[in-house]
């Protein structure tokens, strides 16, 4: 049984860190494990210009200290988390997509439709059929990252696609199915978007992540929220995993005997897809049980991480 695993320093290709006092808690967690991160700019107000993005980047860098580069990236409005982007909306950004395709800029997509006639659990599959397939037909050489995929449909789609399509996978979608949200009562800390799916989807995602296909890579979608806004009559979506991200991925890969595939998934595939150099340092995981704290301070509020008070089998040394 493997008891220790040394990897090239990994990157997190999908991360939320918020702003202001919250940065102080969450940026060091990510910086302790990852060399770089793509920071999703869904703030209130949103980051919509290059100028705002650069200012935001410098606020993040002030908390990232020694741990290397944390990159910021804009993703086009209309095709992402505010996913009221129907085909008409995508059509509106066609000139932008055309320009992005030409210069080789990546489009990062939150792949869900949100119309009320589509079942919540079918949003991702519907997105593939109604938006992604037409988009790819019109922009066959636009590089697309299908973010935080959650279904067998998406895994199959990406597996069958060409070198222009990659996908990020979260640790929580590799470890949990939708039962986690309802075990023993409603458990708001397991509620995220895209929502956890059936077991068959979790198994398909884990197969994809550990398959050796180089277009699947690590993106935690770690999404911190104040605990009181998650434990709420209308609780917000997002699982916080940055405090133990690599440990959770190791647990998932180990569960199917595929620890040997973790380095490519965590440290090589994303950088290669983005056309960026791989990191040079290393990080070591040990098989050593530990228990994350019940909560972290989060500005004036509390942040409850996934697996709080519950043992994890792997630990970053
Ligand atoms: C994200 C957040 O809180 O910013 N929440 C989540 O459940 N993943 C937004 C998002 O990525 O949809
Ligand atoms: Zn996200």
């Amino acid at each position: 049984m493997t008891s220790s695993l040394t990897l090239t320093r990994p990157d997190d290709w999908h991360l939320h860190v918020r702003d202001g006092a919250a940065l102080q808690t969450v940026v060091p967690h990510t910086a302790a494990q990852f060399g770089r991160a793509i920071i999703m700019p869904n703030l209130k107000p949103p980051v919509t210009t290059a100028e705002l993005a650069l200012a935001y980047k410098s606020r993040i860098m002030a908390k990232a200290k020694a741990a290397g580069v944390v990159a910021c990236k804009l993703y086009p409005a209309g095709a992402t988390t505010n996913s009221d982007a129907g085909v008409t909306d995508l059509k509106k950004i066609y000139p932008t997509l055309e320009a992005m395709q030409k210069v080789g800029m990546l489009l990062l997509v939150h792949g869900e439709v949100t119309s009320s006639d589509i079942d919540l659990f079918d949003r991702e599959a519907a997105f593939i059929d109604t938006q992604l397939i037409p988009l790819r037909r019109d922009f066959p050489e636009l590089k697309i990252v299908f973010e935080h995929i959650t279904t067998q449909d998406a895994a199959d789609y990406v597996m069958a696609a060409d070198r222009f399509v990659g996908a990020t996978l979260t640790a929580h979608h590799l470890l949990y199915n939708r039962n986690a949200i309802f075990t023993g009562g409603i458990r708001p800390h397991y509620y995220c978007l895209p929502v956890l799916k059936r077991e068959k989807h979790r198994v398909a995602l884990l197969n994809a992540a550990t398959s050796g296909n180089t277009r699947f890579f690590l993106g935690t979608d770690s999404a911190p929220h104040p605990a009181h806004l998650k434990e709420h009559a209308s609780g917000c979506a997002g699982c916080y995993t940055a405090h133990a991200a690599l440990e959770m991925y190791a647990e998932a890969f180990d569960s199917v005997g595929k620890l040997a595939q973790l380095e490519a998934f965590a440290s090589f595939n994303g950088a290669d897809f983005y056309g960026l150099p791989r990191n040079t340092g290393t990080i070591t995981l040990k098989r050593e049980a530990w228990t994350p704290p019940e909560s972290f301070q989060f500005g004036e509020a509390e942040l409850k991480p996934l697996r709080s008070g519950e043992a994890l089998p792997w630990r970053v040394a």
Side-chain angles (χ1 to χ4, degrees):
M1 197 158 75
T2 318
S3 62
S4 165
L5 185 68
T6 296
L7 312 174
T8 300
R9 185 164 290 278
D11 298 306
D12 186 347
W13 299 101
H14 187 129
L15 179 68
H16 302 267
V17 295
R18 317 306 180 203
D19 209 344
L23 293 176
Q24 214 159 308
T25 303
V26 303
V27 173
H29 287 163
T30 291
Q33 304 200 338
F34 297 98
R36 295 166 293 199
I38 293 287
I39 310 295
M40 296 300 171
N42 58 330
L43 304 180
K44 265 189 219 166
V47 176
T48 51
T49 66
E51 200 179 352
L52 287 171
L54 288 173
Y56 183 37
K57 180 179 177 179
S58 64
R59 295 197 294 283
I60 296 165
M61 290 304 291
K63 303 291 180 300
K65 289 198 200 102
V69 185
V70 178
C72 289
K73 177 151 186 130
L74 290 173
Y75 51 167
T80 60
T81 35
N82 302 322
S83 35
D84 52 354
V87 174
T88 16
D89 287 338
L90 272 183
K91 284 257 150 75
K92 279 189 199 155
I93 62 163
Y94 264 31
T96 308
L97 298 178
E98 189 73 58
M100 289 171 70
Q101 177 173 253
K102 207 165 276 168
V103 301
M105 188 186 263
L106 278 75
L107 176 71
L108 315 184
V109 294
H110 180 127
E112 292 197 286
V113 297
T114 54
S115 41
S116 56
D117 57 324
I118 304 285
D119 189 280
L120 179 91
F121 291 93
D122 297 333
R123 286 174 167 187
E124 193 172 271
F127 173 83
I128 296 171
D129 293 338
T130 64
Q131 297 188 49
L132 190 54
I133 290 173
L135 178 72
R136 295 261 303 127
R137 202 182 298 132
D138 294 341
F139 299 97
E141 299 204 345
L142 175 63
K143 261 194 156 176
I144 295 175
V145 183
F146 197 165
E147 297 290 344
H148 45 51
I149 61 168
T150 62
T151 57
Q152 177 169 22
D153 313 67
D156 288 349
Y157 178 85
V158 173
M159 196 76 83
D162 59 27
R163 68 190 174 88
F164 293 98
V165 181
T168 53
L169 291 145
T170 78
H172 45 288
H173 289 97
L174 297 181
L175 286 172
Y176 299 105
N177 63 39
R178 64 192 191 181
N179 286 347
I181 311 167
F182 304 104
T183 304
I186 289 203
R187 298 210 284 170
H189 296 287
Y190 288 88
Y191 173 57
C192 64
L193 287 174
V195 74
L196 292 170
K197 304 296 193 299
R198 286 177 182 277
E199 177 64 2
K200 73 162 188 182
H201 296 294
R202 187 193 72 83
V203 169
L205 299 172
L206 191 51
N207 277 337
T210 60
S211 66
N213 184 309
T214 58
R215 287 178 292 102
F216 293 101
F217 42 92
L218 187 158
T220 62
D221 197 20
S222 177
H225 289 278
H228 67 275
L229 294 183
K230 287 195 65 68
E231 299 163 3
H232 190 272
S234 178
C236 45
C239 295
Y240 186 69
T241 54
H243 65 297
L246 205 54
E247 290 92 334
M248 290 189 203
Y249 284 104
E251 181 179 349
F253 276 57
D254 196 21
S255 74
V256 288
K258 291 282 178 68
L259 275 176
Q261 300 287 349
L262 184 61
E263 184 178 42
F265 173 82
S267 315
F268 298 159
N269 297 350
D272 295 353
F273 191 82
Y274 271 82
L276 293 169
R278 294 175 180 180
N279 291 324
T280 48
T282 60
I283 189 166
T284 298
L285 281 153
K286 296 231 182 289
R287 193 187 295 277
E288 180 190 308
W290 66 290
T291 304
E294 290 291 343
S295 68
F296 298 105
Q297 199 187 325
F298 191 56
E300 308 271 270
E302 263 192 330
L303 169 61
K304 292 202 183 152
L306 215 64
R307 294 295 274 273
S308 61
E310 215 188 303
L312 287 160
W314 286 91
R315 178 167 216 167
V316 169

mmCIF file of all heavy atoms in Angstrom, residues 104-133:
data_model
loop_
_atom_site.group_PDB
_atom_site.id
_atom_site.type_symbol
_atom_site.label_atom_id
_atom_site.label_comp_id
_atom_site.label_asym_id
_atom_site.label_seq_id
_atom_site.Cartn_x
_atom_site.Cartn_y
_atom_site.Cartn_z
ATOM 1 N N GLY A 104 -6.497 32.359 -29.955
ATOM 2 C CA GLY A 104 -6.231 31.190 -29.106
ATOM 3 C C GLY A 104 -6.519 31.425 -27.639
ATOM 4 O O GLY A 104 -5.904 30.815 -26.773
ATOM 5 N N MET A 105 -7.476 32.325 -27.344
ATOM 6 C CA MET A 105 -7.844 32.558 -25.942
ATOM 7 C C MET A 105 -8.911 31.552 -25.507
ATOM 8 O O MET A 105 -9.831 31.254 -26.259
ATOM 9 C CB MET A 105 -8.378 33.986 -25.789
ATOM 10 C CG MET A 105 -8.610 34.376 -24.342
ATOM 11 S SD MET A 105 -9.386 36.002 -24.239
ATOM 12 C CE MET A 105 -7.969 37.014 -23.956
ATOM 13 N N LEU A 106 -8.767 31.028 -24.320
ATOM 14 C CA LEU A 106 -9.678 29.977 -23.868
ATOM 15 C C LEU A 106 -11.031 30.535 -23.402
ATOM 16 O O LEU A 106 -11.101 31.602 -22.798
ATOM 17 C CB LEU A 106 -9.064 29.193 -22.699
ATOM 18 C CG LEU A 106 -8.068 28.098 -23.071
ATOM 19 C CD1 LEU A 106 -6.747 28.686 -23.496
ATOM 20 C CD2 LEU A 106 -7.882 27.143 -21.899
ATOM 21 N N LEU A 107 -12.074 29.779 -23.673
ATOM 22 C CA LEU A 107 -13.414 30.079 -23.152
ATOM 23 C C LEU A 107 -13.717 29.074 -22.043
ATOM 24 O O LEU A 107 -13.704 27.864 -22.268
ATOM 25 C CB LEU A 107 -14.455 29.947 -24.275
ATOM 26 C CG LEU A 107 -15.909 30.151 -23.834
ATOM 27 C CD1 LEU A 107 -16.175 31.616 -23.495
ATOM 28 C CD2 LEU A 107 -16.875 29.683 -24.916
ATOM 29 N N LEU A 108 -13.956 29.600 -20.843
ATOM 30 C CA LEU A 108 -14.260 28.732 -19.698
ATOM 31 C C LEU A 108 -15.766 28.766 -19.482
ATOM 32 O O LEU A 108 -16.321 29.836 -19.256
ATOM 33 C CB LEU A 108 -13.545 29.238 -18.446
ATOM 34 C CG LEU A 108 -12.065 29.637 -18.615
ATOM 35 C CD1 LEU A 108 -11.454 30.031 -17.271
ATOM 36 C CD2 LEU A 108 -11.264 28.525 -19.260
ATOM 37 N N VAL A 109 -16.419 27.626 -19.567
ATOM 38 C CA VAL A 109 -17.880 27.666 -19.500
ATOM 39 C C VAL A 109 -18.462 26.908 -18.317
ATOM 40 O O VAL A 109 -18.051 25.792 -18.002
ATOM 41 C CB VAL A 109 -18.558 27.144 -20.797
ATOM 42 C CG1 VAL A 109 -18.265 28.059 -21.962
ATOM 43 C CG2 VAL A 109 -18.167 25.731 -21.126
ATOM 44 N N HIS A 110 -19.420 27.564 -17.681
ATOM 45 C CA HIS A 110 -20.279 26.899 -16.698
ATOM 46 C C HIS A 110 -21.398 26.285 -17.523
ATOM 47 O O HIS A 110 -22.275 26.997 -17.995
ATOM 48 C CB HIS A 110 -20.804 27.924 -15.700
ATOM 49 C CG HIS A 110 -21.685 27.343 -14.645
ATOM 50 N ND1 HIS A 110 -21.465 27.546 -13.305
ATOM 51 C CD2 HIS A 110 -22.786 26.559 -14.737
ATOM 52 C CE1 HIS A 110 -22.402 26.902 -12.616
ATOM 53 N NE2 HIS A 110 -23.221 26.307 -13.461
ATOM 54 N N GLY A 111 -21.361 24.981 -17.714
ATOM 55 C CA GLY A 111 -22.235 24.337 -18.687
ATOM 56 C C GLY A 111 -23.559 23.877 -18.146
ATOM 57 O O GLY A 111 -23.808 22.687 -17.990
ATOM 58 N N GLU A 112 -24.444 24.828 -17.870
ATOM 59 C CA GLU A 112 -25.796 24.484 -17.443
ATOM 60 C C GLU A 112 -26.784 25.445 -18.079
ATOM 61 O O GLU A 112 -26.486 26.636 -18.217
ATOM 62 C CB GLU A 112 -25.947 24.612 -15.921
ATOM 63 C CG GLU A 112 -25.178 23.608 -15.105
ATOM 64 C CD GLU A 112 -25.703 23.551 -13.673
ATOM 65 O OE1 GLU A 112 -25.427 24.504 -12.916
ATOM 66 O OE2 GLU A 112 -26.409 22.575 -13.340
ATOM 67 N N VAL A 113 -27.968 24.922 -18.437
ATOM 68 C CA VAL A 113 -29.067 25.811 -18.811
ATOM 69 C C VAL A 113 -29.932 25.979 -17.568
ATOM 70 O O VAL A 113 -29.922 25.127 -16.684
ATOM 71 C CB VAL A 113 -29.919 25.238 -19.973
ATOM 72 C CG1 VAL A 113 -29.084 25.095 -21.230
ATOM 73 C CG2 VAL A 113 -30.558 23.915 -19.590
ATOM 74 N N THR A 114 -30.652 27.078 -17.499
ATOM 75 C CA THR A 114 -31.408 27.333 -16.266
ATOM 76 C C THR A 114 -32.892 27.582 -16.506
ATOM 77 O O THR A 114 -33.563 28.080 -15.621
ATOM 78 C CB THR A 114 -30.837 28.555 -15.518
ATOM 79 O OG1 THR A 114 -30.817 29.654 -16.426
ATOM 80 C CG2 THR A 114 -29.444 28.293 -15.008
ATOM 81 N N SER A 115 -33.404 27.194 -17.672
ATOM 82 C CA SER A 115 -34.823 27.454 -17.889
ATOM 83 C C SER A 115 -35.651 26.558 -16.960
ATOM 84 O O SER A 115 -35.278 25.420 -16.663
ATOM 85 C CB SER A 115 -35.204 27.229 -19.354
ATOM 86 O OG SER A 115 -34.555 26.090 -19.851
ATOM 87 N N SER A 116 -36.777 27.097 -16.503
ATOM 88 C CA SER A 116 -37.543 26.439 -15.442
ATOM 89 C C SER A 116 -38.202 25.143 -15.912
ATOM 90 O O SER A 116 -38.605 24.320 -15.093
ATOM 91 C CB SER A 116 -38.601 27.401 -14.888
ATOM 92 O OG SER A 116 -39.416 27.843 -15.950
ATOM 93 N N ASP A 117 -38.287 24.934 -17.201
ATOM 94 C CA ASP A 117 -38.874 23.674 -17.681
ATOM 95 C C ASP A 117 -37.863 22.527 -17.699
ATOM 96 O O ASP A 117 -38.228 21.385 -17.938
ATOM 97 C CB ASP A 117 -39.490 23.882 -19.078
ATOM 98 C CG ASP A 117 -38.472 24.401 -20.087
ATOM 99 O OD1 ASP A 117 -37.600 25.218 -19.695
ATOM 100 O OD2 ASP A 117 -38.541 23.989 -21.255
ATOM 101 N N ILE A 118 -36.591 22.828 -17.482
ATOM 102 C CA ILE A 118 -35.569 21.771 -17.446
ATOM 103 C C ILE A 118 -35.305 21.381 -15.995
ATOM 104 O O ILE A 118 -35.034 22.238 -15.150
ATOM 105 C CB ILE A 118 -34.236 22.257 -18.078
ATOM 106 C CG1 ILE A 118 -34.441 22.760 -19.509
ATOM 107 C CG2 ILE A 118 -33.174 21.162 -18.015
ATOM 108 C CD1 ILE A 118 -34.657 21.701 -20.555
ATOM 109 N N ASP A 119 -35.400 20.084 -15.719
ATOM 110 C CA ASP A 119 -35.134 19.589 -14.371
ATOM 111 C C ASP A 119 -33.732 19.994 -13.931
ATOM 112 O O ASP A 119 -32.776 19.914 -14.711
ATOM 113 C CB ASP A 119 -35.261 18.054 -14.386
ATOM 114 C CG ASP A 119 -35.230 17.466 -12.997
ATOM 115 O OD1 ASP A 119 -34.116 17.312 -12.431
ATOM 116 O OD2 ASP A 119 -36.314 17.164 -12.472
ATOM 117 N N LEU A 120 -33.623 20.411 -12.688
ATOM 118 C CA LEU A 120 -32.340 20.876 -12.135
ATOM 119 C C LEU A 120 -31.198 19.893 -12.385
ATOM 120 O O LEU A 120 -30.070 20.291 -12.677
ATOM 121 C CB LEU A 120 -32.510 21.095 -10.627
ATOM 122 C CG LEU A 120 -31.273 21.571 -9.870
ATOM 123 C CD1 LEU A 120 -31.228 23.083 -9.831
ATOM 124 C CD2 LEU A 120 -31.237 21.014 -8.457
ATOM 125 N N PHE A 121 -31.509 18.591 -12.268
ATOM 126 C CA PHE A 121 -30.461 17.577 -12.423
ATOM 127 C C PHE A 121 -30.106 17.328 -13.896
ATOM 128 O O PHE A 121 -29.147 16.631 -14.185
ATOM 129 C CB PHE A 121 -30.890 16.274 -11.735
ATOM 130 C CG PHE A 121 -30.940 16.395 -10.236
ATOM 131 C CD1 PHE A 121 -32.126 16.728 -9.591
ATOM 132 C CD2 PHE A 121 -29.797 16.228 -9.476
ATOM 133 C CE1 PHE A 121 -32.168 16.870 -8.204
ATOM 134 C CE2 PHE A 121 -29.826 16.367 -8.088
ATOM 135 C CZ PHE A 121 -31.015 16.687 -7.450
ATOM 136 N N ASP A 122 -30.898 17.877 -14.813
ATOM 137 C CA ASP A 122 -30.649 17.670 -16.249
ATOM 138 C C ASP A 122 -30.038 18.892 -16.928
ATOM 139 O O ASP A 122 -29.855 18.906 -18.151
ATOM 140 C CB ASP A 122 -31.971 17.331 -16.967
ATOM 141 C CG ASP A 122 -32.576 16.033 -16.464
ATOM 142 O OD1 ASP A 122 -31.807 15.170 -15.987
ATOM 143 O OD2 ASP A 122 -33.811 15.890 -16.527
ATOM 144 N N ARG A 123 -29.711 19.905 -16.140
ATOM 145 C CA ARG A 123 -29.232 21.163 -16.728
ATOM 146 C C ARG A 123 -27.964 21.001 -17.566
ATOM 147 O O ARG A 123 -27.782 21.663 -18.572
ATOM 148 C CB ARG A 123 -28.920 22.170 -15.619
ATOM 149 C CG ARG A 123 -30.132 22.758 -14.982
ATOM 150 C CD ARG A 123 -29.699 23.613 -13.812
ATOM 151 N NE ARG A 123 -30.804 24.454 -13.348
ATOM 152 C CZ ARG A 123 -30.657 25.398 -12.433
ATOM 153 N NH1 ARG A 123 -29.469 25.624 -11.895
ATOM 154 N NH2 ARG A 123 -31.695 26.125 -12.072
ATOM 155 N N GLU A 124 -27.071 20.155 -17.093
ATOM 156 C CA GLU A 124 -25.786 20.005 -17.796
ATOM 157 C C GLU A 124 -25.970 19.248 -19.114
ATOM 158 O O GLU A 124 -25.440 19.660 -20.151
ATOM 159 C CB GLU A 124 -24.786 19.285 -16.890
ATOM 160 C CG GLU A 124 -23.361 19.338 -17.371
ATOM 161 C CD GLU A 124 -22.399 18.767 -16.331
ATOM 162 O OE1 GLU A 124 -21.920 19.536 -15.455
ATOM 163 O OE2 GLU A 124 -22.135 17.549 -16.372
ATOM 164 N N ALA A 125 -26.735 18.167 -19.060
ATOM 165 C CA ALA A 125 -26.976 17.400 -20.294
ATOM 166 C C ALA A 125 -27.684 18.277 -21.329
ATOM 167 O O ALA A 125 -27.364 18.233 -22.525
ATOM 168 C CB ALA A 125 -27.798 16.155 -19.980
ATOM 169 N N ALA A 126 -28.637 19.091 -20.866
ATOM 170 C CA ALA A 126 -29.359 19.977 -21.788
ATOM 171 C C ALA A 126 -28.424 21.030 -22.382
ATOM 172 O O ALA A 126 -28.549 21.409 -23.550
ATOM 173 C CB ALA A 126 -30.525 20.655 -21.068
ATOM 174 N N PHE A 127 -27.476 21.485 -21.594
ATOM 175 C CA PHE A 127 -26.504 22.464 -22.097
ATOM 176 C C PHE A 127 -25.684 21.882 -23.249
ATOM 177 O O PHE A 127 -25.442 22.554 -24.257
ATOM 178 C CB PHE A 127 -25.574 22.916 -20.964
ATOM 179 C CG PHE A 127 -24.446 23.789 -21.434
ATOM 180 C CD1 PHE A 127 -24.629 25.156 -21.618
ATOM 181 C CD2 PHE A 127 -23.195 23.250 -21.729
ATOM 182 C CE1 PHE A 127 -23.594 25.959 -22.079
ATOM 183 C CE2 PHE A 127 -22.158 24.043 -22.184
ATOM 184 C CZ PHE A 127 -22.357 25.403 -22.361
ATOM 185 N N ILE A 128 -25.292 20.628 -23.103
ATOM 186 C CA ILE A 128 -24.494 19.993 -24.167
ATOM 187 C C ILE A 128 -25.296 19.998 -25.474
ATOM 188 O O ILE A 128 -24.802 20.432 -26.518
ATOM 189 C CB ILE A 128 -24.100 18.547 -23.780
ATOM 190 C CG1 ILE A 128 -23.190 18.562 -22.550
ATOM 191 C CG2 ILE A 128 -23.405 17.847 -24.965
ATOM 192 C CD1 ILE A 128 -22.928 17.180 -21.954
ATOM 193 N N ASP A 129 -26.543 19.551 -25.377
ATOM 194 C CA ASP A 129 -27.362 19.419 -26.584
ATOM 195 C C ASP A 129 -27.734 20.763 -27.199
ATOM 196 O O ASP A 129 -27.643 20.936 -28.411
ATOM 197 C CB ASP A 129 -28.657 18.650 -26.260
ATOM 198 C CG ASP A 129 -28.358 17.202 -25.887
ATOM 199 O OD1 ASP A 129 -27.281 16.703 -26.276
ATOM 200 O OD2 ASP A 129 -29.197 16.586 -25.205
ATOM 201 N N THR A 130 -28.149 21.704 -26.355
ATOM 202 C CA THR A 130 -28.716 22.932 -26.924
ATOM 203 C C THR A 130 -27.691 24.033 -27.138
ATOM 204 O O THR A 130 -27.935 24.952 -27.906
ATOM 205 C CB THR A 130 -29.844 23.485 -26.030
ATOM 206 O OG1 THR A 130 -29.285 23.871 -24.771
ATOM 207 C CG2 THR A 130 -30.945 22.450 -25.819
ATOM 208 N N GLN A 131 -26.548 23.976 -26.429
ATOM 209 C CA GLN A 131 -25.605 25.089 -26.550
ATOM 210 C C GLN A 131 -24.201 24.675 -26.962
ATOM 211 O O GLN A 131 -23.600 25.281 -27.838
ATOM 212 C CB GLN A 131 -25.560 25.876 -25.237
ATOM 213 C CG GLN A 131 -26.929 26.481 -24.946
ATOM 214 C CD GLN A 131 -26.908 27.430 -23.765
ATOM 215 O OE1 GLN A 131 -26.062 28.307 -23.688
ATOM 216 N NE2 GLN A 131 -27.853 27.252 -22.870
ATOM 217 N N LEU A 132 -23.678 23.652 -26.308
ATOM 218 C CA LEU A 132 -22.279 23.309 -26.568
ATOM 219 C C LEU A 132 -22.077 22.722 -27.970
ATOM 220 O O LEU A 132 -21.124 23.098 -28.669
ATOM 221 C CB LEU A 132 -21.773 22.330 -25.498
ATOM 222 C CG LEU A 132 -20.272 22.062 -25.490
ATOM 223 C CD1 LEU A 132 -19.460 23.356 -25.394
ATOM 224 C CD2 LEU A 132 -19.893 21.112 -24.346
ATOM 225 N N ILE A 133 -22.972 21.842 -28.371
ATOM 226 C CA ILE A 133 -22.815 21.232 -29.698
ATOM 227 C C ILE A 133 -22.902 22.301 -30.802
ATOM 228 O O ILE A 133 -22.008 22.379 -31.651
ATOM 229 C CB ILE A 133 -23.798 20.048 -29.886
ATOM 230 C CG1 ILE A 133 -23.354 18.884 -28.984
ATOM 231 C CG2 ILE A 133 -23.863 19.600 -31.356
ATOM 232 C CD1 ILE A 133 -24.301 17.699 -28.907
#
